[in-house]
Amino acid sequence: MDSTTQLTIRRTGTTAPARTSGSPAPPGSHAITHSGAHVYDPDRPAGSLHLRAARVLEGNWTGTSTVPSHGLYPHQWSWDSAFIAIGLRHLSPLRAQTELETLLGAQWGDGRIPHIVFNPSVPLDAYFPSPDFWRSSTAGRAAGAPRTVQTSGIVQPPVHALAAWLVHQADPGLSRSRSFLSRMYPRLAAWHRYLLHRRDLGGGGLASVVHPWEQGMDNSPCWDTPLSRVTPAAPRSFRRADLDHGSAEDRPTDLDYGRYVRLATDYRDGLYADGAGEFAVEDPAFNALLIASEHALAAIAQELGAAGTARHARAERLTAALVERLWDPAEGMFFCRDVYGGDGGDGESYGRDARDGGRSGALSSERRSPESGALASERRSSERGALGPEQHSAESGAHASERRSRAGALIPERSVAGLLPLILPALPRDIAATLVRTAGGPHFGLGGVARLAPSYDLTGHAFDPHRYWRGPAWFNTNWLLERGLRLHGEHGRAEELRAALLETADTSGFAEYVDPYTGEACGALGFSWTAALTLDLLHEPARADRADRADLSDQSTQVVSHPGHRAFDKAQGTPPHTSHASHTPHTPHSSFETGAKGGDRG
């Protein structure tokens, strides 16, 4: 039996403990131990989409993690690994756990999860910026960077708690026998604490990204205005390895790349302290994923015997902050906020905030107070010592400045990021309905002229169907949209999008991204998260929508695990929540209904 066949076997019977003696495997351990009886799945013919997707993941497996693609991206990327684990859970829950354990094994002492974990066997000139650029073990020493693993110093969207919860649900017996969640929880809690404290640069409760690579949509037109304030690095000071693997017409420009390098250089030279750079943007997709992962952390806490009520409440306060800061009712979608733009930076105004009379400015003090109390309480919780004392060192002067509220300015560019809050269960009903209309309208064409939702406005001045995040369609964003549509009752539209995703993955060779109109493959082929999310969709035929209508009156704390049969795998337990935003409240289907590859990735 070859390795791919082994990866696609199906478990049957009652799950038995995977480890019968000794302590649980530490993060990064790779014992190939399985639970339950295994049989070959005869329903997967040799040329099936399922088996071909499994072969992509097997081919990109390094023994400790999965690379996005061997040529263009030969290391481990943060949010890629989260999406990959979500797909791997259907093939090998153990490998999915290992994927996340390897990544979190490189976590910094201050809680950040770096966006790249470098493979020391890969030559330095195979990828730029390489480990010798980031200098994590020296420049990141004050922030608690690991000494034995080389990483980057920036982060990527926080999908990890969601991934950990879904991976657990794929095989709860294996997860419990390995103490998977009890080992992951303090690390994930520290990761969220880092984002909620050190990255609240606007003072309104949302996390800011300090580099376009952190948000994952690297060269999105959303970054053009805030990047225009950055002096680019000299072209001769770096060499772009990405152009060895892709056409320059499809990649970020040299000017943009020079600005990326300048921002990363300044961040490194500032010893990775937050709040001192020229770029700070509150992004709706980044924060929506943080909120979804807060809901997941609540479910994990319940699984471990603790109450998840405070985390659910925090997720809802963050949802209210997201609406308060980033929602534009006139345009019918969420926009990025340039924290240092408008009245908060160089005096320029983007002309959007004036419509709402400052409604999108800083949150009122009474709205911030409960969040601050909850966070202060968490610092006193048992999670405090998870990563050692360095993460709790005194906050710098730059961090103290985060508490000053900055109104900033919304950036008038329509990105798919502005649709992704649709994944949130407490999103007000009227806003969810408006997002659905915007997704199907002329700017994104979903269900109409576009096969998949583009990364950027089809009618926008900067739209290009082939240039990275300036127009092409990506599988991870569309996968999230599919779940968001289904979560908010748009089952027909969700099923259409699911079918389009599967067809496009099949015909494109699991491409990195595609032309949104034609589905023409762009970027790398055999791309890991495309294959992984294809598997996730294949394991969820028809999505068993009736399961989404489970009796909400059941307030038991039992975790109901039906991988592949919910908009997101859910835990039913706490009472339904209502939004704190000044919009029509929306009651979620249950207490947990939540679930975003980077561009040039740094």
Side-chain angles (χ1 to χ4, degrees), residues 121-147:
S121 67
V122 174
L124 288 178
D125 61 358
Y127 188 84
F128 179 84
S130 52
D132 57 342
F133 172 88
W134 294 104
R135 305 171 196 165
S136 61
S137 59
T138 54
R141 185 177 301 157
R147 298 182 181 181

Side-chain angles (χ1 to χ4, degrees), residues 123-457:
L124 288 178
D125 61 358
Y127 188 84
F128 179 84
S130 52
D132 57 342
F133 172 88
W134 294 104
R135 305 171 196 165
S136 61
S137 59
T138 54
R141 185 177 301 157
R147 298 182 181 181
T148 58
V149 180
Q150 293 298 311
T151 75
S152 65
I154 59 176
V155 303
Q156 276 191 321
V159 201
H160 311 90
L162 172 65
W165 176 241
L166 297 182
V167 167
H168 162 80
Q169 288 196 305
D171 191 338
L174 175 67
S175 174
R176 291 165 186 151
S177 71
R178 299 184 70 246
S179 302
F180 173 66
L181 289 183
S182 63
R183 290 184 287 112
M184 292 296 101
Y185 181 79
R187 291 179 174 273
L188 294 168
W191 167 222
H192 286 206
R193 199 156 52 240
Y194 167 79
L195 293 173
L196 291 168
H197 286 284
R198 297 180 182 264
R199 287 301 188 88
D200 182 12
L201 303 182
L206 299 181
S208 292
V209 296
V210 299
H211 195 291
W213 288 337
E214 292 197 313
Q215 192 268 358
M217 304 178 190
D218 300 11
N219 65 326
S220 169
C222 295
W223 317 136
D224 290 355
T225 296
L227 277 178
S228 68
R229 299 191 294 266
V230 178
T231 301
R236 294 182 181 179
S237 65
F238 59 91
R239 189 189 77 82
R240 296 182 58 179
D242 64 309
L243 297 182
D244 296 339
H245 302 277
S247 169
E249 288 73 25
D250 293 346
R251 308 291 297 177
T253 65
D254 286 341
L255 177 61
D256 285 340
Y257 214 93
R259 286 172 169 148
Y260 304 153
V261 172
R262 171 64 65 189
L263 279 176
T265 300
D266 291 347
Y267 194 39
R268 177 200 67 200
D269 293 348
L271 305 182
Y272 298 111
D274 294 311
E278 298 177 82
F279 185 98
V281 174
E282 295 171 353
D283 174 76
F286 190 100
N287 280 281
L289 288 166
L290 174 60
I291 295 166
S293 283
E294 269 292 305
H295 281 297
L297 270 184
I300 293 172
Q302 288 178 297
E303 163 67 21
L304 296 175
T309 307
R311 287 201 178 278
H312 280 309
R314 178 178 304 151
E316 295 202 353
R317 286 194 296 272
L318 288 169
T319 301
L322 186 74
V323 172
E324 184 80 9
R325 299 270 299 172
L326 305 184
W327 174 247
D328 189 325
E331 298 295 338
M333 66 181 299
F334 291 87
F335 288 89
C336 294
R337 179 172 293 277
D338 181 1
V339 173
Y340 300 151
D343 61 356
D346 53 14
E348 65 182 324
S349 174
Y350 300 159
R352 189 174 300 281
D353 285 345
R355 296 195 197 114
D356 60 11
R359 176 193 57 78
S360 298
L363 296 178
S364 64
S365 60
E366 59 268 25
R367 182 162 293 169
R368 289 197 305 271
S369 296
E371 177 70 11
S372 300
L375 292 174
S377 175
E378 176 160 330
R379 278 199 296 269
R380 296 191 296 268
S381 74
S382 60
E383 301 161 3
R384 182 179 181 111
L387 296 178
E390 62 269 36
Q391 77 182 57
H392 307 289
S393 58
E395 296 179 338
S396 64
H399 179 50
S401 70
E402 296 173 16
R403 295 306 175 192
R404 295 198 302 268
S405 178
R406 305 185 68 105
L410 293 181
I411 300 172
E413 298 287 359
R414 297 179 181 88
S415 161
V416 70
L419 303 178
L420 295 188
L422 201 60
I423 66 174
L424 300 178
L427 195 67
R429 189 180 301 277
D430 60 327
I431 291 181
T434 301
L435 284 178
V436 172
R437 290 194 296 271
T438 300
H443 299 295
F444 294 95
L446 191 60
V449 297
R451 177 178 295 196
L452 299 177
S455 52
Y456 176 68
D457 183 0

Side-chain angles (χ1 to χ4, degrees), residues 440-474:
H443 299 295
F444 294 95
L446 191 60
V449 297
R451 177 178 295 196
L452 299 177
S455 52
Y456 176 68
D457 183 0
L458 295 170
T459 70
H461 68 97
F463 174 77
D464 184 331
H466 289 172
R467 191 181 286 276
Y468 230 41
W469 290 95
R470 301 180 83 85
W474 293 74

Side-chain angles (χ1 to χ4, degrees), residues 72-94:
L72 189 54
Y73 306 113
H75 303 285
Q76 183 180 26
W77 264 262
S78 173
W79 73 327
D80 289 73
S81 279
F83 287 121
I84 290 165
I86 289 170
L88 272 177
R89 69 188 171 122
H90 300 296
L91 300 177
S92 169
L94 177 62

